[in-house]
Amino acid sequence: MERAKAAGPGACSYDGAKLRILLMLLLLGCALASCMAQPAALPEAAVPGQPAETTLAAIDKQLHESALAPPASEEKKAAEVSGKSAPAEKPGKSSWKKDKDAQKVAPDDPAAGKLPATAKTVDLADDVQAGPQAKMRIKHIEQTKSEAEGIGEIAGAATLVEIELSNDGTTTLDLDKAQLRLFYGEDLEPAALLTDARSTVLPAQLAAGKKAVATYLFSAQTESATFVTLEFETGATKKIQQLAGEVSP
């Protein structure tokens, strides 16, 4: 009896300690199981003391902006690799360049959509420049009647213009782009180009020391439209030539 009483309190203390340890292990295991089953959500905003770029939202934003950004040019990429800044693009020039007795610009140049400047207006009887050491003069001009020979043409009042080109230079003059335009009155009302048996065209080229003649026929609004303005160009001059005056009936 006395031995049992002496052992009783110690045994109870020992069993209580074991029970507490078991309970703690059980609670720890439940906590671990809960953490593994439901992982904590990543924070949407940056944690204090942590750079904002390392958060998932910031990385997603950077990827989105990179996908929307326009691709860099090869020149710019090469400059970034070498550590040098890409040179700034130079504005396009609007000057006309001479090319085999003709004025020419690249199709993507701003000057491609513009015509050369217009020269000072002269009288119908004056000579005008047609190229390097080349001249154009009106050989004959008169009011006449047109004949309806082309599709959609109507016979009626017209102006006949005969021009003569002379090439006194040492090189062949390119006439492939040569044009003659006629306008009536002070308001410069454009006239339509007609064709009939009297019409002739300029050759594609005019050799050095040679002359060429061409005849143009333009429709007139009325028979009384006697004041005309002529524009002439071959592409070999920096300015469009302009002649104006009265046409005798």
Side-chain angles (χ1 to χ4, degrees):
M1 290 291 291
E2 292 178 358
R3 184 180 296 177
K5 289 179 181 179
C12 291
S13 176
Y14 177 74
D15 291 340
K18 290 177 62 178
L19 183 59
R20 286 195 295 269
I21 292 174
L22 289 174
L23 288 173
M24 290 177 64
L25 290 174
L26 181 60
L27 292 173
L28 181 60
C30 291
L32 289 174
S34 177
C35 291
M36 294 180 65
Q38 296 181 359
L42 291 174
E44 294 183 359
V47 178
Q50 182 180 0
E53 290 79 2
T54 60
T55 65
L56 182 61
I59 294 174
D60 182 72
K61 182 179 179 181
Q62 290 177 359
L63 291 175
H64 182 68
E65 291 176 351
S66 177
L68 293 178
S73 62
E74 295 298 330
E75 184 178 3
K76 185 176 181 181
K77 289 180 180 178
E80 290 176 352
V81 172
S82 62
K84 298 180 181 180
S85 59
E89 296 183 0
K90 297 181 180 179
K93 296 182 179 180
S94 60
S95 59
W96 292 72
K97 298 179 181 180
K98 184 176 179 181
D99 179 50
K100 294 183 179 180
D101 295 334
Q103 298 298 324
K104 181 181 180 182
V105 291
D108 58 346
D109 192 284
K114 301 178 182 178
L115 291 174
T118 302
K120 183 179 179 180
T121 304
V122 299
D123 189 74
L124 293 176
D126 293 341
D127 294 347
V128 294
Q129 188 179 8
Q133 300 183 29
K135 299 291 183 182
M136 186 281 286
R137 72 182 184 92
I138 297 177
K139 190 175 182 180
H140 179 73
I141 185 169
E142 67 171 343
Q143 286 183 312
T144 183
K145 295 284 186 179
S146 65
E147 299 175 6
E149 294 185 1
I151 298 175
E153 293 183 357
I154 301 175
T159 301
L160 183 144
V161 185
E162 185 181 8
I163 63 172
E164 181 183 78
L165 270 70
S166 58
N167 184 10
D168 299 326
T170 58
T171 59
T172 299
L173 180 63
D174 185 7
L175 298 177
D176 186 56
K177 299 177 182 178
Q179 293 186 49
L180 183 71
R181 297 180 288 271
L182 187 141
F183 305 87
Y184 287 106
E186 299 290 344
D187 296 332
L188 299 179
E189 188 173 346
L193 182 64
L194 306 174
T195 56
D196 66 11
R198 295 167 289 180
S199 302
T200 58
V201 297
L202 288 168
Q205 294 182 330
L206 183 60
K210 298 295 182 179
K211 293 184 178 181
V213 176
T215 302
Y216 296 82
L217 196 68
F218 297 94
S219 64
Q221 297 296 328
T222 63
E223 295 182 3
S224 60
T226 59
F227 185 84
V228 299
T229 300
L230 286 166
E231 284 187 351
F232 173 76
E233 62 174 323
T234 59
T237 59
K238 292 184 177 181
K239 294 182 179 181
I240 297 175
Q241 306 302 314
Q242 198 170 64
L243 306 93
E246 292 285 341
V247 179
S248 59

PDB file of all heavy atoms in Angstrom, residues 95-105 116 132 177 233-239:
ATOM      1  N   SER A  95      14.088  68.932-102.835  1.00  0.00           N
ATOM      2  CA  SER A  95      14.717  69.465-104.044  1.00  0.00           C
ATOM      3  C   SER A  95      14.652  68.435-105.166  1.00  0.00           C
ATOM      4  O   SER A  95      14.704  67.230-104.935  1.00  0.00           O
ATOM      5  CB  SER A  95      16.185  69.819-103.758  1.00  0.00           C
ATOM      6  OG  SER A  95      16.891  68.680-103.317  1.00  0.00           O
ATOM      7  N   TRP A  96      14.529  68.938-106.377  1.00  0.00           N
ATOM      8  CA  TRP A  96      14.479  68.076-107.555  1.00  0.00           C
ATOM      9  C   TRP A  96      15.893  67.831-108.049  1.00  0.00           C
ATOM     10  O   TRP A  96      16.707  68.739-108.131  1.00  0.00           O
ATOM     11  CB  TRP A  96      13.643  68.732-108.655  1.00  0.00           C
ATOM     12  CG  TRP A  96      12.194  68.818-108.302  1.00  0.00           C
ATOM     13  CD1 TRP A  96      11.624  69.640-107.380  1.00  0.00           C
ATOM     14  CD2 TRP A  96      11.138  68.036-108.828  1.00  0.00           C
ATOM     15  NE1 TRP A  96      10.288  69.429-107.303  1.00  0.00           N
ATOM     16  CE2 TRP A  96       9.949  68.458-108.181  1.00  0.00           C
ATOM     17  CE3 TRP A  96      11.059  67.030-109.780  1.00  0.00           C
ATOM     18  CZ2 TRP A  96       8.710  67.890-108.469  1.00  0.00           C
ATOM     19  CZ3 TRP A  96       9.827  66.478-110.073  1.00  0.00           C
ATOM     20  CH2 TRP A  96       8.671  66.906-109.426  1.00  0.00           C
ATOM     21  N   LYS A  97      16.202  66.591-108.378  1.00  0.00           N
ATOM     22  CA  LYS A  97      17.544  66.235-108.819  1.00  0.00           C
ATOM     23  C   LYS A  97      17.549  65.958-110.320  1.00  0.00           C
ATOM     24  O   LYS A  97      16.617  65.365-110.846  1.00  0.00           O
ATOM     25  CB  LYS A  97      18.034  65.001-108.056  1.00  0.00           C
ATOM     26  CG  LYS A  97      18.144  65.225-106.556  1.00  0.00           C
ATOM     27  CD  LYS A  97      18.598  63.969-105.852  1.00  0.00           C
ATOM     28  CE  LYS A  97      18.686  64.194-104.347  1.00  0.00           C
ATOM     29  NZ  LYS A  97      19.124  62.967-103.645  1.00  0.00           N
ATOM     30  N   LYS A  98      18.613  66.373-110.967  1.00  0.00           N
ATOM     31  CA  LYS A  98      18.725  66.188-112.402  1.00  0.00           C
ATOM     32  C   LYS A  98      19.156  64.758-112.706  1.00  0.00           C
ATOM     33  O   LYS A  98      20.051  64.215-112.087  1.00  0.00           O
ATOM     34  CB  LYS A  98      19.738  67.177-112.972  1.00  0.00           C
ATOM     35  CG  LYS A  98      19.846  67.114-114.492  1.00  0.00           C
ATOM     36  CD  LYS A  98      20.798  68.181-114.990  1.00  0.00           C
ATOM     37  CE  LYS A  98      20.926  68.101-116.513  1.00  0.00           C
ATOM     38  NZ  LYS A  98      21.860  69.105-117.035  1.00  0.00           N
ATOM     39  N   ASP A  99      18.501  64.122-113.671  1.00  0.00           N
ATOM     40  CA  ASP A  99      18.810  62.760-114.045  1.00  0.00           C
ATOM     41  C   ASP A  99      18.641  62.608-115.550  1.00  0.00           C
ATOM     42  O   ASP A  99      17.531  62.478-116.062  1.00  0.00           O
ATOM     43  CB  ASP A  99      17.889  61.778-113.315  1.00  0.00           C
ATOM     44  CG  ASP A  99      18.171  60.336-113.713  1.00  0.00           C
ATOM     45  OD1 ASP A  99      19.348  59.947-113.683  1.00  0.00           O
ATOM     46  OD2 ASP A  99      17.216  59.626-114.054  1.00  0.00           O
ATOM     47  N   LYS A 100      19.754  62.658-116.257  1.00  0.00           N
ATOM     48  CA  LYS A 100      19.743  62.525-117.719  1.00  0.00           C
ATOM     49  C   LYS A 100      18.789  63.529-118.369  1.00  0.00           C
ATOM     50  O   LYS A 100      17.823  63.165-119.033  1.00  0.00           O
ATOM     51  CB  LYS A 100      19.375  61.101-118.124  1.00  0.00           C
ATOM     52  CG  LYS A 100      20.412  60.057-117.726  1.00  0.00           C
ATOM     53  CD  LYS A 100      20.015  58.685-118.215  1.00  0.00           C
ATOM     54  CE  LYS A 100      21.064  57.654-117.832  1.00  0.00           C
ATOM     55  NZ  LYS A 100      20.699  56.294-118.299  1.00  0.00           N
ATOM     56  N   ASP A 101      19.058  64.796-118.150  1.00  0.00           N
ATOM     57  CA  ASP A 101      18.267  65.883-118.733  1.00  0.00           C
ATOM     58  C   ASP A 101      16.818  65.864-118.264  1.00  0.00           C
ATOM     59  O   ASP A 101      15.911  66.270-118.989  1.00  0.00           O
ATOM     60  CB  ASP A 101      18.300  65.844-120.266  1.00  0.00           C
ATOM     61  CG  ASP A 101      19.694  66.106-120.786  1.00  0.00           C
ATOM     62  OD1 ASP A 101      20.465  66.767-120.072  1.00  0.00           O
ATOM     63  OD2 ASP A 101      20.018  65.640-121.882  1.00  0.00           O
ATOM     64  N   ALA A 102      16.577  65.383-117.064  1.00  0.00           N
ATOM     65  CA  ALA A 102      15.214  65.373-116.523  1.00  0.00           C
ATOM     66  C   ALA A 102      15.269  65.590-115.013  1.00  0.00           C
ATOM     67  O   ALA A 102      16.274  65.323-114.380  1.00  0.00           O
ATOM     68  CB  ALA A 102      14.512  64.059-116.832  1.00  0.00           C
ATOM     69  N   GLN A 103      14.181  66.107-114.471  1.00  0.00           N
ATOM     70  CA  GLN A 103      14.072  66.315-113.033  1.00  0.00           C
ATOM     71  C   GLN A 103      13.418  65.081-112.417  1.00  0.00           C
ATOM     72  O   GLN A 103      12.384  64.622-112.887  1.00  0.00           O
ATOM     73  CB  GLN A 103      13.245  67.564-112.732  1.00  0.00           C
ATOM     74  CG  GLN A 103      13.855  68.843-113.276  1.00  0.00           C
ATOM     75  CD  GLN A 103      15.210  69.146-112.671  1.00  0.00           C
ATOM     76  OE1 GLN A 103      15.431  68.886-111.508  1.00  0.00           O
ATOM     77  NE2 GLN A 103      16.096  69.695-113.474  1.00  0.00           N
ATOM     78  N   LYS A 104      14.031  64.555-111.367  1.00  0.00           N
ATOM     79  CA  LYS A 104      13.559  63.298-110.817  1.00  0.00           C
ATOM     80  C   LYS A 104      13.738  63.275-109.304  1.00  0.00           C
ATOM     81  O   LYS A 104      14.712  63.794-108.774  1.00  0.00           O
ATOM     82  CB  LYS A 104      14.333  62.140-111.445  1.00  0.00           C
ATOM     83  CG  LYS A 104      13.908  60.765-110.960  1.00  0.00           C
ATOM     84  CD  LYS A 104      14.752  59.707-111.635  1.00  0.00           C
ATOM     85  CE  LYS A 104      14.354  58.315-111.162  1.00  0.00           C
ATOM     86  NZ  LYS A 104      15.197  57.271-111.784  1.00  0.00           N
ATOM     87  N   VAL A 105      12.779  62.664-108.614  1.00  0.00           N
ATOM     88  CA  VAL A 105      12.897  62.431-107.181  1.00  0.00           C
ATOM     89  C   VAL A 105      12.434  61.009-106.894  1.00  0.00           C
ATOM     90  O   VAL A 105      11.736  60.401-107.690  1.00  0.00           O
ATOM     91  CB  VAL A 105      12.034  63.415-106.348  1.00  0.00           C
ATOM     92  CG1 VAL A 105      12.573  64.818-106.425  1.00  0.00           C
ATOM     93  CG2 VAL A 105      10.592  63.374-106.801  1.00  0.00           C
ATOM     94  N   PRO A 116       7.356  71.125-109.934  1.00  0.00           N
ATOM     95  CA  PRO A 116       8.357  72.186-109.837  1.00  0.00           C
ATOM     96  C   PRO A 116       7.692  73.560-109.854  1.00  0.00           C
ATOM     97  O   PRO A 116       6.519  73.703-110.196  1.00  0.00           O
ATOM     98  CB  PRO A 116       9.213  71.972-111.102  1.00  0.00           C
ATOM     99  CG  PRO A 116       8.952  70.571-111.515  1.00  0.00           C
ATOM    100  CD  PRO A 116       7.549  70.270-111.103  1.00  0.00           C
ATOM    101  N   PRO A 132      18.528  71.736-121.040  1.00  0.00           N
ATOM    102  CA  PRO A 132      19.867  72.328-121.204  1.00  0.00           C
ATOM    103  C   PRO A 132      20.121  72.727-122.652  1.00  0.00           C
ATOM    104  O   PRO A 132      20.190  71.861-123.528  1.00  0.00           O
ATOM    105  CB  PRO A 132      20.805  71.198-120.749  1.00  0.00           C
ATOM    106  CG  PRO A 132      19.966  70.310-119.897  1.00  0.00           C
ATOM    107  CD  PRO A 132      18.592  70.368-120.477  1.00  0.00           C
ATOM    108  N   LYS A 177       8.465  62.678-120.943  1.00  0.00           N
ATOM    109  CA  LYS A 177       7.549  63.269-119.962  1.00  0.00           C
ATOM    110  C   LYS A 177       7.065  64.661-120.371  1.00  0.00           C
ATOM    111  O   LYS A 177       6.479  65.377-119.565  1.00  0.00           O
ATOM    112  CB  LYS A 177       8.245  63.361-118.599  1.00  0.00           C
ATOM    113  CG  LYS A 177       8.672  62.007-118.051  1.00  0.00           C
ATOM    114  CD  LYS A 177       9.416  62.161-116.735  1.00  0.00           C
ATOM    115  CE  LYS A 177       9.888  60.813-116.212  1.00  0.00           C
ATOM    116  NZ  LYS A 177      10.654  60.953-114.947  1.00  0.00           N
ATOM    117  N   GLU A 233       6.275  71.712-120.186  1.00  0.00           N
ATOM    118  CA  GLU A 233       7.400  71.147-119.426  1.00  0.00           C
ATOM    119  C   GLU A 233       7.883  69.875-120.102  1.00  0.00           C
ATOM    120  O   GLU A 233       7.109  69.137-120.722  1.00  0.00           O
ATOM    121  CB  GLU A 233       6.994  70.835-117.990  1.00  0.00           C
ATOM    122  CG  GLU A 233       5.885  69.805-117.849  1.00  0.00           C
ATOM    123  CD  GLU A 233       5.634  69.440-116.406  1.00  0.00           C
ATOM    124  OE1 GLU A 233       6.615  69.370-115.630  1.00  0.00           O
ATOM    125  OE2 GLU A 233       4.468  69.210-116.044  1.00  0.00           O
ATOM    126  N   THR A 234       9.170  69.635-119.990  1.00  0.00           N
ATOM    127  CA  THR A 234       9.769  68.391-120.472  1.00  0.00           C
ATOM    128  C   THR A 234      10.320  67.564-119.314  1.00  0.00           C
ATOM    129  O   THR A 234      10.676  66.405-119.500  1.00  0.00           O
ATOM    130  CB  THR A 234      10.930  68.690-121.442  1.00  0.00           C
ATOM    131  OG1 THR A 234      11.919  69.473-120.759  1.00  0.00           O
ATOM    132  CG2 THR A 234      10.441  69.443-122.664  1.00  0.00           C
ATOM    133  N   GLY A 235      10.417  68.153-118.141  1.00  0.00           N
ATOM    134  CA  GLY A 235      11.049  67.495-117.008  1.00  0.00           C
ATOM    135  C   GLY A 235      12.523  67.813-116.925  1.00  0.00           C
ATOM    136  O   GLY A 235      13.193  67.415-115.970  1.00  0.00           O
ATOM    137  N   ALA A 236      13.060  68.509-117.923  1.00  0.00           N
ATOM    138  CA  ALA A 236      14.481  68.838-117.947  1.00  0.00           C
ATOM    139  C   ALA A 236      14.766  70.234-117.414  1.00  0.00           C
ATOM    140  O   ALA A 236      15.893  70.698-117.475  1.00  0.00           O
ATOM    141  CB  ALA A 236      15.010  68.714-119.377  1.00  0.00           C
ATOM    142  N   THR A 237      13.747  70.921-116.918  1.00  0.00           N
ATOM    143  CA  THR A 237      13.941  72.248-116.337  1.00  0.00           C
ATOM    144  C   THR A 237      13.419  72.244-114.901  1.00  0.00           C
ATOM    145  O   THR A 237      12.534  71.464-114.547  1.00  0.00           O
ATOM    146  CB  THR A 237      13.195  73.323-117.142  1.00  0.00           C
ATOM    147  OG1 THR A 237      11.800  73.007-117.163  1.00  0.00           O
ATOM    148  CG2 THR A 237      13.710  73.393-118.569  1.00  0.00           C
ATOM    149  N   LYS A 238      13.943  73.136-114.082  1.00  0.00           N
ATOM    150  CA  LYS A 238      13.527  73.204-112.682  1.00  0.00           C
ATOM    151  C   LYS A 238      12.199  73.933-112.517  1.00  0.00           C
ATOM    152  O   LYS A 238      11.604  73.883-111.447  1.00  0.00           O
ATOM    153  CB  LYS A 238      14.607  73.899-111.856  1.00  0.00           C
ATOM    154  CG  LYS A 238      15.886  73.097-111.739  1.00  0.00           C
ATOM    155  CD  LYS A 238      16.884  73.785-110.824  1.00  0.00           C
ATOM    156  CE  LYS A 238      18.143  72.939-110.661  1.00  0.00           C
ATOM    157  NZ  LYS A 238      19.131  73.573-109.767  1.00  0.00           N
ATOM    158  N   LYS A 239      11.741  74.609-113.574  1.00  0.00           N
ATOM    159  CA  LYS A 239      10.487  75.346-113.507  1.00  0.00           C
ATOM    160  C   LYS A 239       9.603  75.004-114.701  1.00  0.00           C
ATOM    161  O   LYS A 239      10.106  74.753-115.801  1.00  0.00           O
ATOM    162  CB  LYS A 239      10.741  76.865-113.472  1.00  0.00           C
ATOM    163  CG  LYS A 239      11.457  77.348-112.209  1.00  0.00           C
ATOM    164  CD  LYS A 239      11.626  78.838-112.232  1.00  0.00           C
ATOM    165  CE  LYS A 239      12.304  79.331-110.966  1.00  0.00           C
ATOM    166  NZ  LYS A 239      12.467  80.819-110.958  1.00  0.00           N
TER     167      LYS A 239
END
